[in-house]
Amino acid sequence: MGEHPSPGPAVAACAEAERIEELEPEAEERLPAAPEDHWKVLFDQCDPENTGYISTGKFRSLLESHSSKLDPHKREVLLALADSHADGQICYQDFVNLMSNKRSNSFRQAILQGNRRLSSKALLEEKGLSLSQRLIRHVAYETLPREIDRKWYYDSYTCCPPPWFMITVTLLEVAFFLYNGVSLGQFVLQVTHPRYLKNSLVYHPQLRAQAWRYLTYIFMHAGIEHLGLNVVLQLLVGVPLEMVHGATRIGLVYVAGVVAGSLAVSVADMTAPVVGSSGGVYALVSAHLANIVMVSTSRSQRVFLALMEFGRAVWLRFHPSAYPPCPHPSFVAHLGGVAVGITLGVVVLRNYEQRLQDQSLWWIFVAMYTVFVLFAIFWNIFAYTLLDLKLPPPP
């Protein structure tokens, strides 16, 4: 999956440039991992007077002489970077960064100043790609809003590790559903079965002190119609996002949406149980859509699926319950997931290679999420008693 065609540049200009940090270590493997002292020797050869600077012309000559060692898709950007230095000189640290294939602030300057020097050929115009290369290109266009990031991802992706998190979670949800279907003898609208809420994974307001239920409810679905919509959204949105951003980031957004969903129900819809993975799914969907400016037809289909699933949840919540006085599961978990997606999720997805700890907004939204979780915990401890709320009996 990591092979790429030799013809055609793979990096193009992008008018909208944000601060670009260094590539993750695995993405730097495209260039030879030469030690810094090797580049220092080359630099000194071009700087016999030890001024600490070399001309961009000499830098271009170095690139030309080492072109056989460079990925052809990176070489064009490095040449544009050389041309972008208005003072005609490149310092030693810039030299090491560029020859080591690090995307530092020098890249930002090149994008801003060297747009016209870069080829305008888009990644979509590249021909002769294999099936795996077309898949990687499709994922890049589905998940990344900027052309330069799409091309850099396309050049760097190796399918190692594969998107295991979303696939594993989805398989577990299907396995639990099939097990419940067999044990209950019911696959459609399982939530109407009198023994459904007795499962120890479901969040129930009377059992809210059992902390694991705020997370394990994702393995219980109202029926095959509920599971089907969630699984389709998880695979269509979650797997491509994980291929780009990795299991850690996507898992973080997903789990944060799941926990926020159940806590939101415990605060805003206090008498209702919660089932399904919609909190995590809607965190991913809303983060993805908020991160992409232009919504294509395929993304519009995902919006339609998300709205259809949300409409089903609203209908079910207000439908007469099959086991009064306990109502059907709440739809507020969807809204909790959306809130996580458009705050914490957007920051996580905004720049696929920028480290989260370097983003100030990341810490702001983490603090907001922490405050909400603490508020919900205290609410669950004190509010139910203070409000003298009448809860449905335990299942």
Side-chain angles (χ1 to χ4, degrees):
M1 262 192 171
E3 60 182 13
H4 303 289
S6 56
V11 181
C14 180
E16 178 189 11
E18 302 175 7
R19 177 171 300 176
I20 304 178
E21 300 295 331
E22 294 185 1
L23 278 177
E24 299 295 337
E26 60 269 18
E28 296 179 11
E29 295 176 359
R30 297 304 248 165
L31 285 186
E36 185 171 317
D37 56 356
H38 172 70
W39 298 122
K40 176 63 175 173
V41 171
L42 294 177
F43 188 91
D44 288 341
Q45 291 175 358
C46 299
D47 182 29
E49 299 179 359
N50 294 321
T51 62
Y53 292 86
I54 62 173
S55 67
T56 54
K58 291 182 178 179
F59 178 67
R60 289 179 62 88
S61 298
L62 277 177
L63 291 179
E64 295 288 350
S65 63
H66 289 76
S67 60
S68 61
K69 301 179 182 179
L70 299 174
D71 189 305
H73 294 159
K74 304 296 190 297
R75 180 173 170 273
E76 186 183 4
V77 165
L78 296 177
L79 291 172
L81 289 170
D83 291 339
S84 69
H85 283 255
D87 57 2
Q89 291 184 319
I90 292 179
C91 71
Y92 171 69
Q93 191 57 53
D94 281 345
F95 174 84
V96 172
N97 286 345
L98 298 180
M99 296 301 284
S100 301
N101 197 30
K102 294 180 179 179
R103 294 181 70 180
S104 62
N105 286 335
S106 301
F107 271 78
R108 183 187 182 194
Q109 295 300 320
I111 295 169
L112 291 174
Q113 302 175 19
N115 283 340
R116 295 180 182 178
R117 300 180 181 89
L118 288 168
S119 171
S120 60
K121 184 177 180 180
L123 182 58
L124 278 176
E125 298 175 9
E126 298 225 10
K127 306 296 183 183
L129 302 182
S130 66
L131 179 62
S132 63
Q133 291 168 342
R134 289 198 298 270
L135 173 62
I136 296 171
R137 182 177 64 178
H138 173 75
V139 169
Y141 272 89
E142 285 296 302
T143 57
L144 294 169
R146 299 191 307 161
E147 184 70 13
I148 193 169
D149 286 335
R150 294 166 181 164
K151 293 183 175 181
W152 205 277
Y153 165 76
Y154 173 81
D155 287 334
S156 305
Y157 184 69
T158 61
C159 197
C160 184
W164 61 268
F165 176 80
M166 291 309 308
I167 293 176
T168 301
V169 169
T170 301
L171 290 177
L172 286 174
E173 291 172 0
V174 173
F176 274 99
F177 174 80
L178 293 176
Y179 172 80
N180 290 323
V182 171
S183 62
L184 298 176
Q186 184 172 336
F187 287 91
V188 178
L189 284 178
Q190 286 183 351
V191 72
T192 60
H193 195 283
R195 289 194 290 114
Y196 181 83
L197 290 183
K198 294 183 182 296
N199 193 292
S200 60
L201 302 179
V202 176
Y203 169 85
H204 190 282
Q206 282 281 19
L207 303 174
R208 64 188 184 280
Q210 299 176 357
W212 70 83
R213 293 177 180 265
Y214 291 90
L215 183 61
T216 59
Y217 74 92
I218 67 171
F219 299 115
M220 298 293 294
H221 286 78
I224 193 170
E225 66 288 343
H226 185 199
L227 174 73
L229 289 171
N230 277 343
V231 164
V232 169
L233 285 171
Q234 280 184 179
L235 296 179
L236 284 179
V237 179
V239 171
L241 286 177
E242 187 177 346
M243 289 175 65
V244 173
H245 299 280
T248 301
R249 292 192 180 203
I250 297 307
L252 174 65
V253 176
Y254 187 85
V255 173
V258 168
V259 175
S262 54
L263 289 176
V265 172
S266 70
V267 172
D269 198 3
M270 300 166 66
T271 63
V274 188
V275 296
S277 58
S278 298
V281 171
Y282 276 68
L284 293 178
V285 171
S286 59
H288 173 53
L289 294 179
N291 189 53
I292 300 293
V293 178
M294 299 300 292
V295 180
S296 66
T297 303
S298 60
R299 298 188 188 107
S300 298
Q301 293 171 353
R302 298 174 194 181
V303 173
F304 174 75
L305 285 176
L307 291 176
M308 184 170 64
E309 203 282 324
F310 180 71
R312 182 213 59 81
V314 174
W315 170 84
L316 183 62
R317 171 64 179 85
F318 294 106
H319 190 269
S321 176
Y323 36 85
C326 185
H328 281 309
S330 176
F331 62 87
V332 175
H334 298 66
L335 303 180
V338 170
V340 168
I342 62 178
T343 53
L344 199 65
V346 168
V347 176
V348 171
L349 305 188
R350 185 175 60 179
N351 193 325
Y352 82 99
E353 65 186 23
Q354 187 176 6
R355 294 172 297 183
L356 293 178
Q357 58 266 34
D358 295 335
Q359 302 183 53
S360 57
L361 271 180
W362 158 255
W363 295 108
I364 293 174
F365 287 132
V366 165
M368 292 172 57
Y369 184 82
T370 303
V371 169
F372 166 72
V373 170
L374 293 175
F375 166 78
I377 291 174
F378 281 99
W379 179 274
N380 278 272
I381 294 174
F382 301 108
Y384 282 77
T385 303
L386 293 175
L387 295 175
D388 194 22
L389 194 67
K390 185 178 180 180
L391 295 177

